[in-house]
Amino acid sequence: MKVLVLGSGAREHAMCWSLANSPLITKLICAPGNPGIKEEAECIDLNINNNEDIISLALKEEIDLVIPGPEIPLVNGIINDLNKVNIKAFGPSKEASKLEGSKKFTKEICKAANIPTANYESFTNQDHAINYIKNINTPIVIKADGLAAGKGVIIAKNKDEAILAIENLFKGIFGEAGKTVLIEEYLEGIEASYFALCDGKNAIPLTNAQDHKRVGDGDTGPNTGGMGAFSPTPNLSEKDNEHILNNIIKPTLAVMHERGTPFQGILYAGLMLTNEGPKLIEYNVRFGDPECQVILSRIKSNLFEAILAAVDHTLNNFHIRFYDEVSLTVVMATEGYPGKYKNGSIIKGISEANNIKGIKVFHAGTKIDSDQNLVSNGGRVLSVTANAESMNKARILAYSAIKNIKWDEGFYRKDIGEN
Ligand code: AMP
Ligand code: GLY
């Protein structure tokens, strides 16, 4: 089969690396891809936020299956559009992608499916929102309803901060995404992510992970896309995993099916492990980045066969297996990230790191410059991933591999995997 993966991050590198060993794939294309992905797949430049461009490429290359990495094409309805021209695609429809695209929609599903989550109210009027917070305790969580590139959540420590956040959202700092505002109860606990592969009716576990969202050591500084991750998390027992699958994922799938918007693809539950048990913070409708790198480093089954079973609605007969090993990834980013940064600094030593047993370096923002040097080309640039028999060993391995990478403008957190 001819397969097209959409995206250019370390997540898509891990996906292509994992897919490349499937004997069922005769040609693997990634658009736009990156220099790391090029070792696994043919890379073709493409604007993946334009459905027409994606469809033209898929038709031209006679693609049998399209696998989007990030959420934007999914929320833009690429699955619906590909299906209209009879191209198979892995991922949720536009309607089902609302589980990521609208926080209010997710709250409605939680209510219908009786899923534990933070109490909330939603507002489309600034005065009503400000009035509401007068009588509730702080901290308060203020959220833009729609996609806001991971920046639409404000944890307000006091009412002044909450009012400012509400005013900013209604002023339109996130455009349409902030026209509806959710005000949510603050949940205390440890965060964890749980992943399930879904075929519309059935869900099978894709194991769990934990990421480090803040830019600085000790969870300090602004939020990022993720500075590192590990899988599995010691904070979820086998019993917890079953509880999440049966009480959060499966009821969600059942309600989505009942509503005529079945969910096919990867359902990623962001959870808070509270004293009252796991509660859903948010859903994403795709793999996490960097969580994907650690999950796919542990997968024993063939990823492509699992994806085909999801697309063909036969997951009830599919048994997915994972290695017991721990996988841990450390993200290397460009100085300045998540704020302003410069592209174009030279990176060396990746093959030396890759030569170490148990290490795989996934590329994100990299490119080859006109002098044939590998240079930085984004905020998050590399994801150095180690597999070992324990968390401690995986952490030591990842950090010793990083020492091989010579990149003056790069930085990374020194405490990934230290809870
Ligand atoms: P989200 O984009 O919904 O995942 O939110 C981003 C981050 O904000 C989460 O990973 C949590 O750290 C935090 N957060 C979101 N909602 C809550 C909540 N109700 N209580 C505490 N923290 C939250
Ligand atoms: N690492 C968080 C995300 O992919 O949304």
Side-chain angles (χ1 to χ4, degrees):
M1 289 177 77
K2 291 186 184 166
V3 175
L4 170 62
V5 173
L6 302 175
S8 60
R11 165 179 51 203
E12 289 75 23
H13 188 181
M15 288 163 77
C16 289
W17 170 76
S18 198
L19 290 168
N21 57 31
S22 172
L24 295 175
I25 299 181
T26 50
K27 186 167 189 186
L28 183 61
I29 298 179
C30 184
N34 66 37
I37 295 175
K38 219 170 178 176
E39 288 170 22
E40 315 289 353
E42 181 187 337
C43 293
I44 298 181
D45 200 23
L46 184 75
N47 173 9
I48 61 165
N49 297 336
N50 183 316
N51 287 4
E52 280 177 23
D53 290 358
I54 297 171
I55 288 168
S56 305
L57 178 68
L59 290 172
K60 179 168 166 256
E61 296 290 336
E62 299 179 327
I63 296 294
D64 298 299
L65 181 73
V66 179
I67 308 177
E71 63 279 14
I72 299 211
L74 297 168
V75 173
N76 285 347
I78 189 60
I79 304 295
N80 310 49
D81 290 354
L82 285 163
N83 288 344
K84 275 184 213 147
V85 293
N86 293 320
I87 299 175
K88 278 191 182 185
F90 171 66
S93 65
K94 183 173 185 157
E95 297 73 25
S97 298
K98 279 179 83 178
L99 282 176
E100 177 158 359
S102 165
K103 293 188 191 292
K104 186 165 177 240
F105 176 82
T106 299
K107 288 291 193 189
E108 286 163 12
I109 297 293
C110 284
K111 193 166 177 212
N114 203 16
I115 289 165
T117 185
N119 294 324
Y120 82 105
E121 287 292 334
S122 80
F123 298 91
T124 49
N125 174 295
Q126 176 171 317
D127 294 340
H128 294 171
I130 292 177
N131 214 19
Y132 172 76
I133 60 162
K134 285 191 181 139
N135 301 316
I136 56 170
N137 295 330
T138 50
I140 315 171
V141 185
I142 316 285
K143 297 186 175 183
D145 176 54
L147 291 182
K151 295 187 182 118
V153 175
I154 301 103
I155 314 272
K157 288 192 282 301
N158 54 49
K159 292 197 178 164
D160 288 344
E161 278 183 28
I163 292 171
L164 185 66
I166 292 168
E167 285 173 349
N168 280 336
L169 288 177
F170 279 111
K171 234 184 249 164
I173 55 167
F174 297 121
E176 285 296 311
K179 286 219 165 137
T180 298
V181 169
L182 271 69
I183 301 184
E184 218 176 86
E185 166 199 13
Y186 177 76
L187 297 175
E188 250 173 282
I190 294 175
E191 282 182 61
S193 308
Y194 183 91
F195 296 83
L197 183 62
C198 308
D199 70 0
K201 265 192 171 170
N202 308 288
I204 61 169
L206 272 181
T207 186
N208 61 48
Q210 211 168 307
D211 75 344
H212 294 260
K213 288 198 171 80
R214 301 294 189 112
V215 73
D217 287 355
D219 282 334
T220 52
N223 264 338
T224 68
M227 294 300 293
F230 50 89
S231 171
T233 165
N235 294 313
L236 288 176
S237 64
E238 258 326 295
K239 213 168 138 223
D240 294 330
N241 287 328
E242 265 174 48
H243 175 86
I244 294 163
L245 184 65
N246 292 326
N247 295 288
I248 296 182
I249 303 289
K250 288 189 176 171
T252 301
L253 234 58
V255 167
M256 292 296 282
H257 194 266
E258 263 166 42
R259 293 170 66 121
T261 54
F263 186 94
Q264 180 254 88
I266 287 158
L267 191 55
Y268 157 177
L271 303 162
M272 190 68 86
L273 310 179
T274 72
N275 290 337
E276 295 164 12
K279 292 193 179 181
L280 185 78
I281 302 178
E282 62 159 359
Y283 271 132
N284 293 312
V285 299
R286 35 109 191 144
F287 264 129
D289 183 348
E291 294 93 325
C292 178
Q293 293 86 296
V294 288
I295 286 178
L296 294 186
S297 294
R298 293 184 54 225
I299 195 167
K300 205 177 205 175
S301 308
N302 185 293
L303 173 68
F304 189 56
E305 285 175 19
I307 286 178
L308 282 183
V311 173
D312 294 338
H313 312 289
T314 56
L315 275 182
N316 51 332
N317 295 320
F318 198 89
H319 295 285
I320 197 152
R321 293 190 305 154
F322 287 87
Y323 291 108
D324 287 333
E325 285 183 329
V326 173
S327 181
L328 180 144
T329 194
V330 179
V331 169
M332 297 185 79
T334 311
E335 276 308 340
Y337 174 80
K340 280 192 183 144
Y341 55 82
K342 278 194 196 137
N343 287 335
S345 47
I346 295 179
I347 305 165
K348 289 195 166 143
I350 292 181
S351 16
E352 286 79 353
N354 270 331
N355 283 339
I356 299 170
K357 191 169 177 281
I359 290 291
K360 177 71 195 166
V361 181
F362 296 110
H363 289 230
T366 64
K367 74 168 193 182
I368 305 288
D369 73 3
S370 50
D371 297 323
Q372 297 307 306
N373 294 308
L374 183 77
V375 296
S376 63
N377 189 38
R380 291 190 295 171
V381 171
L382 299 171
S383 185
V384 180
T385 309
N387 272 34
E389 66 201 30
S390 69
M391 176 88 102
N392 204 26
K393 286 188 176 162
R395 184 170 49 226
I396 292 168
L397 186 60
Y399 282 112
S400 68
I402 274 192
K403 293 209 176 87
N404 290 278
I405 298 176
K406 308 291 176 216
W407 175 28
D408 292 342
E409 283 76 6
F411 77 96
Y412 55 91
R413 273 183 64 163
K414 311 286 186 299
D415 62 346
I416 302 303
E418 288 172 23
N419 264 312

